[in-house]
Structure formats: C-alpha cells, structure tokens
Amino acid sequence: DQFSKFNARQSDEALKTDAEFLKQVDAIIGGFETLINNLNDADLLLNRLESLADEHLEKKPAISSNYFGPLQKNIHLFIEGTLNVGSDSDEARAWTHLVGALNKVIKDHAIHNLGLSDIDRDALVSSWNQLTGRAGGSRNAGTNLVLWMLENVPNMRDQFSKFNARQSDDNLRKDAEFVRQVDLITGGLESLVDNVNNPIFLQEALVRLADAHLNLKPRVGLEYFGPLQRYIHAYLRKPWVFLLTVLPPEPGQTYLTAFNNVLKDRTFLRIVSDDDRRALQSSWSRLQSQAGNKQEAGIKLVTWLFDNVPNMRDQFSKFNAHSSDEALRANNEFLRQVDVIVGGLDSLINNVDNSDNFQAAIERLVDVHLHMSPSVGLEYFGPLQQNIRSYIQNALGVAADSAEARSWTNLFTAFNEFLADHTIQKIGLSPTDRKVLDRTWKQLTSGGKQEAGVKLVLWMFDQVPNMRDQFSKF
C-alpha cells in the first residue's frame, strides 16, 4: 500500500515489466549499495544511514520502523533462501544487523523530528500521572480539561450534536454523552502519553488521532487544535493545575505542536492527492501552451478572476482594475501584477512533487497575502476555491468532475486551510479575549445600542485628539 506510482498488488511477472516498479527497485538497491560501499568507513556509513533514515522519515506519510521493523525481523529468511545458508550463518546475522542499524538511526531521528526533548517526555508522563492522580482518575482529569477546552477553543461547543455543550458544567458532568466524549478524548491523550518514549508508536498514534479527527463530520482540524496548542499553557498555569503538577507548561504545548504538525501533514495529504499533483502539472502546462506563453495564460486567468472573485478589482491601487480587458493588457502595472500571480502559481506547481516544499510554498504565499495592506484573505480565496473549477472546465474543455478541475479546487482548498489557520494566528485575539469581548459588549449595550454608542462617542471626543474636528455635518 506504500506505493502510488504503480500497482504493487499486481502479479510478480507484471511487476517485473512495470517501469515504475523497476525505478523503485533501483532506488532501494541504490540505498543498500550506499551502505555496503561504505562498510569500512564508520563516518561515511553513519552518514549514509542517517541520510537514508531522513529520506524515509520525510516522506508523506513517513516510512519508519513500521516497515523496517518487519524487514529487520525477516531479512534473514531472504538471505537464507537466496544464498542457501543457515539461519545462524554469518550472512543471515550480518543483514539482520545492518537493517537493525538503520532502524536504530530511524528511531533516533524520529525522536528528533517529533520535537519532544527528553525533558518534555519525562514532564508529560509525570504531569499526566499527577493530573490523573490528584483528580481521582483519568476521567475526572479529562473532564476538567474538556470543560476548560469548551471555554477556550473557539466554537468547540458547536462541534457536538449528541449532547448540549452549552449547558452548565454541573449538568455536563452528569450527561452520559458528554462523559463518553470525555472518555474518548482522555483515551486519545493516554495513547500518546503511553507511547511517549517510543517515537515510532508515538508517530503512529499521532497519525491515528489526526485521521480520526479529520474523518469526523464535520471535520475537526487546525481550527480547533491550533488555538488549543497556543493556549494549553494557560490551562497548565491555572493555579490548581499548576500546583498539582509542579511542572512548567511548555511540554504540553510542545506535545500539541508535534500533534498539529502531523495534523497539518495529514490534512494536506488528504486534500492534494498524487493524482491531483499530476493533473496540476499537466493542466498548468496545457494552459500555457494554449495561451501561447506563461504571461498570456496569466492574463486570461487574472481577467477571469476580476469577474469571478467579488471586489477583486478594488484590491489594486497601482492600476485601474476597472479598465477594459484591452486597456489592462496594455498597462505595465497590470502586467507586473500578472507576473507576480503567475510566479506564485509557478512556485506551487514546480514543487508539486515534493510535499514539504509544496506545503512550504503554500505557507509562504499565505503569509505574503496576509501581510498585504489591506490583507488578502478568505474573502478573496474562498470564492476562488469555489469557482476555479469552472475556469479550468472552460479553459481546457474538460468536464466539471475531471481530474484537472478537481485538482485546482483541491489546490485552493489546501491553500485556504492554511490561510484560515494563519489568519487566526495573525489576528492575535485569544479565546479569552473573544469571550470577554462578547460578554462586555452585551453588558455595554444592555440599555440599548444607541445609548451605548452615544456614551462611547462622547468619551472618544474627550480622549481622542482632534476627533471633534473630524466632523463637518454637525
């Protein structure tokens, strides 16, 4: 199931004639060869082991000891059968030790990649044990945590349909469905804590949890776990929690960082498939070919955007975006903007075969747009995600459900996932901020909105320099 470029379930005879399979064979043999060629140079051998480990851990999804563990266990059988040697032969033992050496490096690097230090791991186990011990069990500890999450993770109360998440804490504690949800959340946490010192199992547990949340309807993604990562330290600093754990809050935040990194990867993988990547490359090439060149393809796309993304023409100050298409084509500032947009698309398409670079390119573009003045956010990219299918359909003469149309929709779906997450971070309002603002606004307007407004504006007249001079109609 690990291979997407060829059907690994076809017969051995068919595989032997499959070009993609043969390429994979060459890659695997090449990996072993780099180890064998450097057996007598310890530094180079370690370097090659580390390179192979990193190469496999960086794949999406990662290839780690879940594959190389069984290989280490069974490689002796291949050597015995192929070389006609005994199970206790030097040959069988040597290959077992070689794959074992690779597994050891994979394990060490997996720990590093998760970003959890030895102190983090010890603190997580110790603090969880103290939280559950002092609370009187994992369910009580989980209940305390979930009640805090309902208050501090935006819109979390709206996520549940099997119980009323807006009832009082006392009523929630008595609600059987709420208790079941607490047990699920607590079980997920315990699966992480139990595996914290085994990076391979921990990675697998993180992936399982990420997929479980992404499979929910509606999906639970970074819009929930992003704020949880950022504010979990506040929970651990609550006096009663902090006194119980006597530990700094950072390990909990680091744990959620590791989880959110996995969640981000899994989100990205689910949205942009290998088929999408191939379709993006081929369709982008066709768009340029049909237009005659890259800039002309960009002009057609941008003029379409002007007509299909609300208010997009108002976004530009260096040229009149309300001009006719012919006038725009003759405008140097417009052409410069086209080149910028095409360059952004190029940065995505050119990295489409490298998941890490592709994701990094999306995040760079997200940050560029959010740092514009005014920022360019979901109010533009939301309609683009919704409508890009029709552009591809008409430009390439393909069906609405074609691979090409789907791939561009999925590209902007992924882009908007990251845009939404980065927007939340950029705004900088914590869940507590939002809760307090909502509560105080209701208090301020309890006597009527106009009365509240009058009081506020009169206060502003006295407190904001020269504000009284701002008005000409009174």
Side-chain angles (χ1 to χ4, degrees):
D1 299 323
Q2 185 63 32
F3 303 100
S4 59
K5 294 187 177 180
F6 63 90
N7 176 13
R9 296 187 180 278
Q10 57 189 315
S11 69
D12 289 358
E13 291 306 313
L15 284 170
K16 290 177 182 179
T17 61
D18 189 309
E20 287 295 339
F21 169 74
L22 296 177
K23 282 183 198 169
Q24 186 62 44
V25 167
D26 290 342
I28 292 171
I29 290 298
F32 276 118
E33 194 169 36
T34 63
L35 302 181
I36 302 300
N37 289 343
N38 291 287
L39 287 173
N40 294 316
D41 188 320
D43 288 339
L44 282 176
L45 178 58
L46 180 58
N47 178 271
R48 297 299 181 266
L49 285 167
E50 290 184 332
S51 296
L52 277 177
D54 289 340
E55 181 182 333
H56 286 87
L57 288 172
E58 288 168 3
K59 291 184 181 295
K60 307 293 183 185
I63 299 175
S64 59
S65 292
N66 50 336
Y67 293 95
F68 286 102
L71 178 60
Q72 176 185 344
K73 182 179 179 181
N74 297 321
I75 187 67
H76 71 92
L77 298 175
F78 175 77
I79 297 300
E80 290 165 29
T82 304
L83 300 182
N84 195 27
V85 295
S87 59
D88 61 347
S89 64
D90 290 341
E91 293 86 350
R93 284 198 301 270
W95 280 88
T96 299
H97 294 161
L98 178 64
V99 180
L102 178 59
N103 268 333
K104 183 178 185 304
V105 175
I106 285 175
K107 181 177 180 180
D108 290 343
H109 284 220
I111 291 173
H112 174 76
N113 290 351
L114 285 172
L116 293 171
S117 68
D118 291 342
I119 293 174
D120 290 334
R121 292 196 295 277
D122 290 343
L124 284 163
V125 173
S126 174
S127 58
W128 181 247
N129 288 340
Q130 291 181 63
L131 283 170
T132 56
R134 300 294 179 88
S138 59
R139 175 178 285 176
N140 288 340
T143 298
N144 292 336
L145 175 60
V146 174
L147 290 174
W148 175 86
M149 289 165 66
L150 289 174
E151 286 293 316
N152 290 275
V153 177
N155 305 316
M156 185 170 170
R157 291 184 188 272
D158 301 326
Q159 184 64 30
F160 303 100
S161 59
K162 293 186 177 180
F163 64 91
N164 176 13
R166 297 189 178 280
Q167 56 190 314
S168 69
D169 288 0
D170 286 341
N171 286 340
L172 282 170
R173 290 175 186 273
K174 301 171 189 173
D175 190 307
E177 286 296 339
F178 170 76
V179 172
R180 270 193 281 274
Q181 186 61 46
V182 166
D183 288 344
L184 286 173
I185 292 172
T186 303
L189 282 173
E190 288 185 323
S191 74
L192 301 182
V193 174
D194 290 345
N195 289 298
V196 73
N197 289 311
N198 187 320
I200 304 305
F201 289 164
L202 178 57
Q203 175 74 21
E204 291 173 355
L206 288 167
V207 168
R208 281 196 303 273
L209 272 181
D211 286 346
H213 285 88
L214 292 173
N215 284 331
L216 293 173
K217 303 292 183 185
R219 186 181 67 197
V220 177
L222 289 168
E223 67 276 16
Y224 294 95
F225 285 99
L228 181 57
Q229 173 190 336
R230 288 191 289 278
Y231 300 114
I232 188 65
H233 66 86
Y235 176 72
L236 295 175
R237 282 200 175 101
K238 287 168 70 73
W240 64 273
V241 175
F242 188 70
L243 289 172
L244 291 183
T245 59
V246 202
L247 283 167
E250 285 72 17
Q253 199 165 23
T254 306
Y255 217 155
L256 282 163
T257 301
F259 176 76
N260 280 346
N261 287 338
V262 173
L263 185 64
K264 190 180 291 186
D265 286 344
R266 302 301 289 181
T267 301
F268 189 78
L269 284 168
R270 281 167 173 266
I271 296 172
V272 182
S273 68
D274 288 338
D275 287 343
D276 290 332
R277 295 165 199 252
R278 288 189 287 271
L280 283 166
Q281 287 175 318
S282 63
S283 57
W284 181 232
S285 178
R286 284 177 61 192
L287 286 170
Q288 295 176 60
S289 176
Q290 289 180 6
N293 57 61
K294 190 177 293 186
Q295 187 181 66
E296 183 61 27
I299 290 171
K300 290 184 176 181
L301 174 60
V302 174
T303 53
W304 175 86
L305 289 169
F306 282 171
D307 291 332
N308 289 273
V309 176
N311 305 316
M312 185 169 171
R313 291 183 188 268
D314 301 326
Q315 182 66 28
F316 303 97
S317 59
K318 293 185 177 181
F319 63 91
N320 179 10
H322 290 277
S323 305
S324 68
D325 287 358
E326 290 306 313
L328 286 170
R329 288 173 177 273
N331 187 299
N332 287 332
E333 286 296 339
F334 169 74
L335 296 178
R336 269 195 280 273
Q337 185 60 46
V338 166
D339 290 342
V340 169
I341 292 172
V342 168
L345 284 174
D346 256 348
S347 73
L348 301 181
I349 306 300
N350 290 342
N351 288 295
V352 74
D353 284 327
N354 184 310
S355 294
D356 286 339
N357 290 347
F358 192 26
Q359 186 172 317
I362 285 182
E363 296 200 71
R364 279 195 302 273
L365 280 178
V366 161
D367 288 337
V368 165
H369 285 87
L370 287 178
H371 285 94
M372 290 180 175
S373 295
S375 64
V376 178
L378 289 169
E379 71 277 15
Y380 295 97
F381 284 99
L384 177 56
Q385 173 190 334
Q386 184 178 356
N387 297 327
I388 189 65
R389 180 188 298 266
S390 65
Y391 177 76
I392 297 299
Q393 185 180 353
N394 293 327
L396 297 181
V398 295
D401 62 348
S402 64
E404 294 86 353
R406 283 197 307 271
S407 69
W408 284 83
T409 299
N410 290 342
L411 172 64
F412 285 106
T413 301
F415 184 91
N416 284 343
E417 284 279 338
F418 290 103
L419 183 61
D421 181 54
H422 286 225
T423 301
I424 291 171
Q425 296 179 42
K426 182 174 184 284
I427 290 171
L429 286 176
S430 70
T432 301
D433 292 333
R434 290 191 286 272
K435 183 171 61 178
V436 170
L437 286 167
D438 181 63
R439 185 182 72 242
T440 53
W441 179 246
K442 289 176 182 174
Q443 292 173 343
L444 288 169
T445 58
S446 61
K449 289 182 182 178
Q450 187 176 67
E451 180 62 24
V454 168
K455 290 180 180 178
L456 175 61
V457 174
L458 290 176
W459 175 87
M460 291 167 68
F461 279 173
D462 290 332
Q463 302 294 323
V464 178
N466 305 317
M467 185 169 173
R468 291 181 186 270
D469 302 327
Q470 187 66 30
F471 302 95
S472 60
K473 294 187 177 181
F474 64 90

